[in-house]
Amino acid sequence: MTDNVSLVSGVAKRYASALLDLAGDGGVTADVERDLNAFEGMLAESADLVRLVRSPVFSADEQLAALDALLAKAGITGLAANFVKLAAKNRRLFVLPDMIKAFRALLAEKRGETTAEVVSAAPLSDAHVAALKEALSASTGKSVKIAASVDPALIGGLVVKVGSRMIDTSLRTKLNTLKFAMKEVG
């Protein structure tokens, strides 16, 4: 299992690195980033598209034809469209979501940015996001982007992941710790 994961991540990183180099050379990095984000949004909204991307049942020609129509309809053109089509042609379409993530990570690294995954019990206000960004930027020494999500099961507080570090201040975790401590005493 680990070998497959490292193989996929290696392929994803190689493709993403080549795309970033081409985009940088052509001065179209922002366009490629926008188009890949749009394609990723399409993946998030369509189970059929995910099936097309992940299923080995479809031939490369079938995938290419379907993607050609989808990309044109979505207005995704240029280098990003060619990249998606190349992945289909080379039978690497199933790795495309990882390629997009790798591209985003390499681009963030190049820009000196890092992403913090923040999970809260309720949606964060703009003021809270700004304060969190400022505190995390001061802590990491990098520009921080916030990827926020909501999990009501946390009850309250936050879970923040930056790189390999995680800070869990959720009430759920505090209550579980208290419950465990009470069992030890009793």
Side-chain angles (χ1 to χ4, degrees), residues 22 41 46 48 68 73 92 94 107 112-113 144 155 164 186:
L22 286 171
S46 173
D48 289 337
D68 211 16
K73 185 177 181 183
R92 297 284 189 254
F94 68 98
L107 186 57
E113 298 173 344
V144 177
I155 304 169
S164 61

Side-chain angles (χ1 to χ4, degrees), residues 6-108:
S6 64
L7 176 66
V8 167
S9 66
V11 167
K13 195 166 186 176
R14 282 193 304 278
Y15 271 74
S17 179
L19 178 61
L20 185 58
D21 289 346
L22 286 171
D25 292 347
V28 292
T29 305
D31 295 338
V32 170
E33 181 182 24
R34 181 197 64 234
D35 288 346
L36 289 180
N37 286 341
F39 187 80
E40 192 174 51
M42 290 167 50
L43 277 171
E45 294 174 7
S46 173
D48 289 337
L49 181 55
V50 170
R51 252 189 312 283
L52 176 74
V53 166
R54 296 227 179 257
S55 178
V57 172
F58 299 104
S59 72
D61 290 339
E62 290 171 326
Q63 289 175 323
L64 202 52
L67 286 170
D68 211 16
L70 278 171
L71 293 169
K73 185 177 181 183
I76 297 173
T77 59
L79 193 54
N82 290 340
F83 180 74
V84 172
K85 292 174 194 176
L86 178 69
K89 184 178 174 190
N90 291 347
R91 301 297 290 162
R92 297 284 189 254
L93 202 53
F94 68 98
V95 188
L96 189 60
D98 292 329
M99 291 176 189
I100 294 171
K101 287 178 189 154
F103 177 83
R104 190 176 294 119
L106 290 170
L107 186 57

Side-chain angles (χ1 to χ4, degrees), residues 112-119 124 127-148 158-169:
E113 298 173 344
T114 190
T115 299
E117 296 175 29
V118 179
V119 183
L124 296 173
H128 287 131
V129 169
L132 194 54
K133 267 185 174 180
E134 187 177 320
L136 291 172
S137 291
S139 171
T140 63
K142 294 182 176 183
S143 173
V144 177
K145 290 174 75 174
I146 303 289
L158 300 171
V159 177
V160 180
K161 292 181 195 171
V162 180
S164 61
R165 293 186 347 202
M166 182 173 93
I167 303 164
D168 187 343
T169 63

